[in-house]
């Protein structure tokens, strides 16, 4: 059985937007020439995952589907519509939007596209930093000129994203729509909806067929409400796979306020096959009980407790100083994973730090009971929200 996605109930005056990155395409494979973007199509795995995504979303009462003009998003939409057709209900209308175009990474036709994407992600951060803080210039590389050009392309992505939001929010008031885009475009859509600056462009992960959900209570762009990021449980993944670097720290957050033993049991089963290196929990609340239950499949994990919330914030600050951890762990060439069981407010604090938002700006984000929230801290690169409100059960 494939898990349906839990799309939050929509009020009559709200617009709900489900964002999906297209399924795996040829450009996601090693060695794919970055000059062949016009020939990019879904792989067999990409088509299968797109169909599973359709099965997960088929009860979401979607009114319209939007794609970019590129083949991977259109093919993903066709597979999703095929899954929707099994319900026997009227299929939503499919529309193309040029405002959903992706960044053009074809300026280095002699390089594998995966290499271009990896270097673009890291050097883009350096380019933006150097332009705003007079930092060191980006290192010389085959994609350096592309990164500089793409800095303006990212700003262009933001402008087109705002234009897209303005159009669809006016057109689909009080409805649920599905937007099938590309990794960078979906980030720009999320960031413009939440007011996240362009320098933090890569602050959320977008896996193939990963599902993110936004709500717009007043049918206007700001403020949007983030309901989920990068859910891939419908693809039978315990957690979204880390896509780049695969070296650093990953924190898995679970709310200490959860009083439901069945939900805690499900989380424990979900994390059974996940390698956990340490657990950090608060004293004087339910977190120690929760950690004992979740870690029943991990008896040898080191556990730490903190007395005050400010100690956890100090810990978060140390994590951001990742060079200290790099010297200790870089030889391992692996990801260190920590389970963090704390109050919802502290989880929101971590999220706000990654996105450079105030705590007030994330205060209305709902952390669903029985879910996991993951932040990945790669060595020497900015942190990324890997997933929000992730669950692997009904």
């Amino acid at each position: 059985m494939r898990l349906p996605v839990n799309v939050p109930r929509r009020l009559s005056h709200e617009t709900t937007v489900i964002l999906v990155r297209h399924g795996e395409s040829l450009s996601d494979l090693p060695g794919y020439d970055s000059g062949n973007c016009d020939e990019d199509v879904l792989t067999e795995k990409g088509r299968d995952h797109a169909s599973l995504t359709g099965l997960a979303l088929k009860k979401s009462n979607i009114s319209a589907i939007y794609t970019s003009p590129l083949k991977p998003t259109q093919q993903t939409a066709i597979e999703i519509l095929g899954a929707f057709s099994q319900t026997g209900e009227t299929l939503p209308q499919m529309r193309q939007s040029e405002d959903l175009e992706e960044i053009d990474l074809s300026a280095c036709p002699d390089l594998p596209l995966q290499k271009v994407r990896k270097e673009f992600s890291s050097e883009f951060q350096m380019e933006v930093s150097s332009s705003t803080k007079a930092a060191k210039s980006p290192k010389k590389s085959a994609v350096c000129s592309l990164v500089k050009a793409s800095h303006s392309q990212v700003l262009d992505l933001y402008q087109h994203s705002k234009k897209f939001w303005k159009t669809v929010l006016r057109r689909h008031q009080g409805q649920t729509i599905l937007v099938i885009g590309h990794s960078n475009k979906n980030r720009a859509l999320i960031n413009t909806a939440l007011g996240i600056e362009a320098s933090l462009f890569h602050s959320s992960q977008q896996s193939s067929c990963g599902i993110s959900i936004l709500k717009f209570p007043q049918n206007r762009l700001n403020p949007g409400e983030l309901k989920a990021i990068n859910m891939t449980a419908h693809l039978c993944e315990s957690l979204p796979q880390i896509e780049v670097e695969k070296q650093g720290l990953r924190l898995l957050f679970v709310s200490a306020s959860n009083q439901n033993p069945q939900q805690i049991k499900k989380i424990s089963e979900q994390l059974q096959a996940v390698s956990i290196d340490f657990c950090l929990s608060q004293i004087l609340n339910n977190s120690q009980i929760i950690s004992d239950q979740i870690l029943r499949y991990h008896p040898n994990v080191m556990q730490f407790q903190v007395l005050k919330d400010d100690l956890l914030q100090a810990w978060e600050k140390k994590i951001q100083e990742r060079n200290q951890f790099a010297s200790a762990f870089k030889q391992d060439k692996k990801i260190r994973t920590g389970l963090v069981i704390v109050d919802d407010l502290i989880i929101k604090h971590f999220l706000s730090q990654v996105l450079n938002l105030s705590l007030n700006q994330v205060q209305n984000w709902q952390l669903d009971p029985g879910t996991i929230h993951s932040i990945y801290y790669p060595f020497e690169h900015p942190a990324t929200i890997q997933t929000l409100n992730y669950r692997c059960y009904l």
Side-chain angles (χ1 to χ4, degrees), residues 108-343:
C108 301
D110 297 326
L111 289 177
L113 189 55
Q114 276 199 335
K115 178 177 177 62
V116 175
R117 283 174 172 164
K118 182 178 180 181
E119 292 197 27
F120 169 81
S121 176
S122 59
E123 291 200 19
F124 173 79
Q125 298 287 346
M126 296 174 66
E127 171 67 19
V128 173
S129 178
S130 66
S131 65
T132 57
K133 301 178 182 178
K136 295 181 180 179
S137 299
K139 64 179 181 181
K140 299 295 184 181
S141 79
V143 297
C144 186
S145 60
L146 172 63
V147 171
K148 291 181 178 179
S150 293
H151 184 193
S152 63
Q153 287 192 51
V154 167
L155 299 180
D156 189 56
L157 271 187
Y158 268 53
Q159 291 302 315
H160 281 281
S161 296
K162 293 176 181 179
K163 180 181 174 183
F164 177 79
W165 285 132
K166 184 177 180 179
T167 300
V168 298
L169 293 179
R170 185 191 310 118
R171 181 181 293 161
H172 298 286
Q173 293 185 16
Q175 297 179 348
T176 297
I177 64 171
L178 171 62
V179 177
I180 303 172
H182 309 267
S183 57
N184 290 318
K185 187 63 203 187
N186 284 6
R187 290 187 183 102
L189 289 168
I190 292 173
N191 291 358
T192 51
L194 301 177
I196 298 170
E197 59 196 56
S199 62
L200 296 172
F201 179 61
H202 293 278
S203 57
S204 66
Q205 181 173 323
Q206 295 293 305
S207 303
S208 295
C209 285
I211 298 172
S212 303
I213 301 174
L214 292 161
K215 276 196 173 185
F216 299 90
Q218 304 300 325
N219 292 309
R220 61 175 185 263
L221 179 56
N222 290 317
E225 293 182 11
L226 185 63
K227 297 299 182 182
I229 286 182
N230 202 39
M231 297 188 294
T232 59
H234 58 291
L235 308 179
C236 299
E237 294 183 352
S238 297
L239 290 168
Q241 298 179 16
I242 292 177
E243 298 177 335
V244 296
E245 196 165 326
K246 297 186 183 297
Q247 195 176 16
L249 294 170
R250 175 176 61 175
L251 298 187
L252 308 178
F253 293 88
V254 174
S255 174
S257 61
N258 195 325
Q259 304 289 330
N260 188 321
Q262 289 302 313
Q263 290 180 347
I264 297 172
K265 179 182 178 182
K266 291 294 185 181
I267 292 174
S268 174
E269 294 169 352
Q270 176 179 340
L271 297 179
Q272 181 175 357
V274 177
S275 177
I276 298 176
D277 298 287
F278 64 90
C279 175
L280 181 64
S281 61
Q282 286 178 276
I283 297 176
L284 303 178
N285 60 21
N286 201 39
S287 59
Q288 184 61 51
I289 298 174
I290 295 174
S291 66
D292 289 342
Q293 293 174 322
I294 293 178
L295 294 175
R296 59 185 180 140
Y297 297 113
H298 304 271
N300 298 321
V301 168
M302 292 189 300
Q303 297 191 47
F304 305 92
Q305 288 188 295
V306 293
L307 182 60
K308 295 182 180 180
D309 296 352
D310 57 355
L311 293 181
L312 184 60
Q313 295 174 11
W315 170 258
E316 186 270 344
K317 182 179 179 181
K318 289 297 183 183
I319 289 175
Q320 295 210 6
E321 297 170 357
R322 286 179 293 283
N323 288 336
Q324 296 181 5
F325 295 91
S327 59
F329 294 145
K330 223 170 184 179
Q331 298 302 316
D332 292 347
K333 296 187 180 301
K334 64 175 292 186
I335 296 169
R336 297 282 177 170
T337 298
L339 177 65
V340 183
I341 304 172
V342 289
D343 293 335

